[in-house]
Amino acid sequence: MQSDRYHWAATGDVNAFFGLMLDNIAGLVLTVVMLSGIFGFPVDFALQYMIPGTAIGVLVGDLMYFWLAFRLAKRESRADVTAMPLGLDTPSTIGMVLFVLGPAYIAASNNAYVQIANSADVSLNLARGSIEEIVAAVQSAATAHPSIDAAVKMVPHQAAMQTWHIGICAIFITGLIKGLLAFGSNWIRRVFPRAGLLGSLAAIALVLIAFTQMPKLAVNPIVGFAALAIVLVTLVARGELPFKIPGALGAVMLGCVVWYVMMGIDQAAGTELTTGLGEETAAQWFPTQWLTVFSFSWLGSMSATLGYLPYIIPFAIATVIGGIDCTESAASAGDDFRASHIIGIESLATLIASLCGGVIQTTPYIGHPAYKAMGGRAAYTLATALFVGGAGVVGYFSVLFILIPEAAVLPILVFIGVEITAQSFHATPRRHYSALAIACLPALAKLVMIYLGQYAPAINYDQVKPQDAENLQSQFLHLQILSGGFIITSLIWGAAMARIIDRRFFSASIYFAVGGLFVLFGVIHSPLAGDKMFWPWNIGDPDLRIIVVEFAAAYLIMALIMFGLGWLVRTPPIDTDEDYESLSRTSH
């Protein structure tokens, strides 16, 4: 249909709004819940300092995509253009919390306790004690010394402030990286096969987004599974609810109804059916604390942020590639946006979010065809921008955080993880499915370390046989090494495997050689706590230095094997699934 007048609002925008808005609210909830639930981060600090700037990033990005839809409608004289959706990037939300913000908060807290101990002379043997012993000694002394008690009470706020500054720096760097990569995005797609790019994304989606929500749903299974059932019917199976209620909204509504019915039963019968976070959190209307970001004191944490680059860089690259994929997906649905505009706006929105104190990057969403099928135009992005931006700046997100049970929102994240994984396989050639699977292995190592690593310091090795204690310590160390920098590791393994399947052994040798170089600097397989990067000559522990050299040599050997096969094996390269299947039948 041709028209000079753009019909930017339609009834389909209602469904599209609830889908996009709830995805973003779920991302904000996830950020606060994971920080507080896993790392003990102060909820009030997150609501007052981190959420406003993060929401402003969504506000700016969706407003600019709203405007971009008008440009496309005018250029093509069309009335049915659907705006590109933008929101918080769920994989990097998980990654930022688990691998940057959370560890930074723990490190800052530990450093604060050490400073208190040194200044207060709490114990004569602290220099030889573990960090757990130092914390215990300081907390014990605080009960008898008011000055120490006052200092201990300040630790959460001080550590949270340092964490916030590191998060701002991380997102600022992310925005710069995305801005630079926007110019070379097509080159990136040529260098890395789709299995490598999507393999790491699928690993994060399935392992760290979908799976990690299941234990939380198990805490309140009646609420969580009821909401999950609606998600499976509507979002996964594409079914419809009565009265055309959007699936995401229906899941949250049902979860809330079940939650408050159970809460009523608790109050009437004295049972304990409901448990959750946020019950003691007060609403944070019109927070102003985040405005301190404009003092730019966070720039002093830039050097401390560099150690987290192995996580920051891959997530930035992933969103650039995702932006290109989203643009192509929109074009297939009839809306031919320019990739440079989509990625440029994504980069700008991320930078603005960082300058306003945000800690999670924005990204275009892959669901444009779905929103177009709903009948959405551009009004849904405008409404999402205003609602999410207002949630952070006005502060009613804190009310939503208190009123909406976590278990009612998490099923949406399960869907996101499953959908990203399914899309990764759908967009990858069949012959490269093995490469996708291999790319998931480093993420599985990280998953094990997330759940077991927190208990490693509590193990009393004195009560274990010496040989068993040594084996246990070795297993923890090598799991940590395998999981270090897992995103880049997944990218290298997936890309190399795809090249091997295609009989391009020279290309595979390059990936392995680069992997060996990365090992030497801790970009991948870092043996240091927190997966920190390092200069090879600065590793003090000789045992760790040997491990680094061994892993680098292992990658070099794989590179040499692939290089040799490139000379010896003269099989023509494989370019299609049909060629691969034909070769497989011949070989069997």
Side-chain angles (χ1 to χ4, degrees), residues 165-524:
H165 288 173
I166 289 176
I168 295 171
C169 291
I171 298 305
F172 182 77
I173 293 172
T174 298
L176 294 177
I177 292 173
K178 291 198 291 189
L180 293 174
L181 291 180
F183 298 102
S185 53
N186 289 329
W187 175 83
I188 294 173
R189 296 191 70 189
R190 289 194 302 268
V191 170
F192 291 100
R194 188 173 292 268
L197 294 169
L198 296 182
S200 57
L201 185 61
I204 295 168
L206 187 62
V207 176
L208 298 182
I209 296 179
F211 175 81
T212 53
Q213 311 315 315
M214 300 308 292
K216 300 174 190 175
L217 290 179
V219 175
N220 291 299
I222 298 177
V223 176
F225 284 21
L228 180 62
I230 300 299
V231 166
L232 295 178
V233 170
T234 59
L235 301 182
V236 177
R238 304 293 193 265
E240 290 188 359
L241 294 178
F243 311 109
K244 296 188 179 298
I245 297 174
L249 177 62
V252 173
M253 288 173 58
L254 178 61
C256 288
V257 169
V258 174
W259 170 268
Y260 285 106
V261 168
M262 292 170 58
M263 185 176 291
I265 295 174
D266 283 346
Q267 294 176 351
T271 56
E272 296 182 357
L273 298 175
T274 55
T275 58
L277 297 171
E279 297 172 356
E280 299 179 358
T281 301
Q284 308 292 329
W285 291 99
F286 297 101
T288 58
Q289 294 86 342
W290 65 277
L291 295 174
T292 58
V293 69
F294 297 117
S295 68
F296 295 100
S297 57
W298 51 271
L299 289 171
S301 298
M302 192 65 72
S303 59
T305 309
L306 298 180
Y308 299 100
L309 285 179
Y311 299 114
I312 296 171
I313 294 174
F315 282 125
I317 294 175
T319 56
V320 170
I321 301 302
I324 297 172
D325 289 340
C326 290
T327 306
E328 293 181 351
S329 176
S332 67
D335 295 328
D336 192 10
F337 296 99
R338 294 178 181 174
S340 59
H341 293 167
I342 295 297
I343 298 172
I345 289 174
E346 170 194 354
S347 172
L348 181 60
T350 299
L351 283 172
I352 292 176
S354 70
L355 294 175
C356 294
V359 295
I360 304 297
Q361 67 172 320
T362 55
T363 185
Y365 280 0
I366 194 67
H368 173 279
Y371 293 121
K372 193 171 188 68
M374 293 178 188
R377 296 294 180 258
Y380 82 101
T381 56
L382 174 63
T384 299
L386 297 177
F387 186 91
V388 176
V393 176
V394 176
Y396 51 82
F397 169 74
S398 61
V399 178
L400 297 175
F401 181 77
I402 295 170
L403 294 179
I404 299 177
E406 177 187 6
V409 178
L410 294 183
I412 298 175
L413 298 174
V414 174
F415 158 71
I416 292 172
V418 171
E419 183 69 10
I420 291 174
T421 304
Q423 288 288 341
S424 297
F425 277 91
H426 178 72
T428 301
R430 291 192 306 274
R431 68 185 186 281
H432 289 164
Y433 284 177
S434 297
L436 283 176
I438 286 177
C440 291
L441 296 180
L444 291 174
K446 192 65 181 181
L447 179 68
V448 173
M449 284 304 300
I450 289 172
Y451 283 100
L452 296 185
Q454 57 186 320
Y455 302 111
I459 297 176
N460 187 349
Y461 290 100
D462 294 334
Q463 297 183 358
V464 182
K465 295 180 181 179
Q467 183 177 357
D468 293 338
E470 183 178 348
N471 290 336
L472 190 58
Q473 289 175 319
S474 177
Q475 289 178 12
F476 272 119
L477 174 61
H478 286 89
L479 268 175
Q480 175 185 324
I481 293 171
L482 286 173
S483 66
F486 75 97
I487 300 171
I488 297 180
T489 307
S490 294
L491 178 63
I492 291 173
W493 288 15
M497 188 67 239
R499 295 306 190 203
I500 292 172
I501 291 172
D502 290 345
R503 304 301 191 266
R504 289 178 167 85
F505 298 111
F506 287 129
S507 295
S509 71
I510 295 175
Y511 291 121
F512 287 131
V514 171
L517 181 64
F518 283 173
V519 169
L520 292 176
F521 297 93
V523 177
I524 61 175

Side-chain angles (χ1 to χ4, degrees), residues 31-234:
T31 301
V32 179
V33 166
M34 290 186 66
L35 276 173
S36 59
I38 299 176
F39 300 99
F41 194 92
V43 171
D44 288 345
F45 189 99
L47 295 175
Q48 295 167 353
Y49 289 84
M50 294 179 166
I51 294 301
T54 302
I56 287 173
V58 178
L59 169 67
V60 172
D62 272 319
L63 283 179
M64 296 184 73
Y65 280 175
F66 174 73
W67 166 76
L68 203 61
F70 277 82
R71 285 193 54 181
L72 180 61
K74 182 179 180 180
R75 187 173 74 241
E76 298 185 353
S77 298
R78 290 173 49 216
D80 62 344
V81 170
T82 298
M84 181 73 77
L86 175 139
L88 301 178
D89 182 52
T90 303
S92 58
T93 297
I94 303 284
M96 277 294 295
V97 172
L98 292 180
F99 311 129
V100 179
L101 298 176
Y105 179 72
I106 297 299
S109 299
N110 291 342
N111 290 337
Y113 277 109
V114 170
Q115 291 176 1
I116 294 172
N118 291 336
S119 63
D121 193 23
V122 176
S123 172
L124 297 177
N125 298 320
L126 285 182
R128 295 189 296 273
S130 66
I131 186 62
E132 291 79 12
E133 292 170 335
I134 293 175
V135 172
V138 171
Q139 291 176 340
S140 176
T143 59
H145 298 81
S147 61
I148 298 177
D149 183 58
V152 168
K153 290 179 178 178
M154 288 298 296
V155 168
H157 181 83
Q158 293 172 347
M161 184 66 70
Q162 174 67 15
T163 301
W164 181 43
H165 288 173
I166 289 176
I168 295 171
C169 291
I171 298 305
F172 182 77
I173 293 172
T174 298
L176 294 177
I177 292 173
K178 291 198 291 189
L180 293 174
L181 291 180
F183 298 102
S185 53
N186 289 329
W187 175 83
I188 294 173
R189 296 191 70 189
R190 289 194 302 268
V191 170
F192 291 100
R194 188 173 292 268
L197 294 169
L198 296 182
S200 57
L201 185 61
I204 295 168
L206 187 62
V207 176
L208 298 182
I209 296 179
F211 175 81
T212 53
Q213 311 315 315
M214 300 308 292
K216 300 174 190 175
L217 290 179
V219 175
N220 291 299
I222 298 177
V223 176
F225 284 21
L228 180 62
I230 300 299
V231 166
L232 295 178
V233 170
T234 59

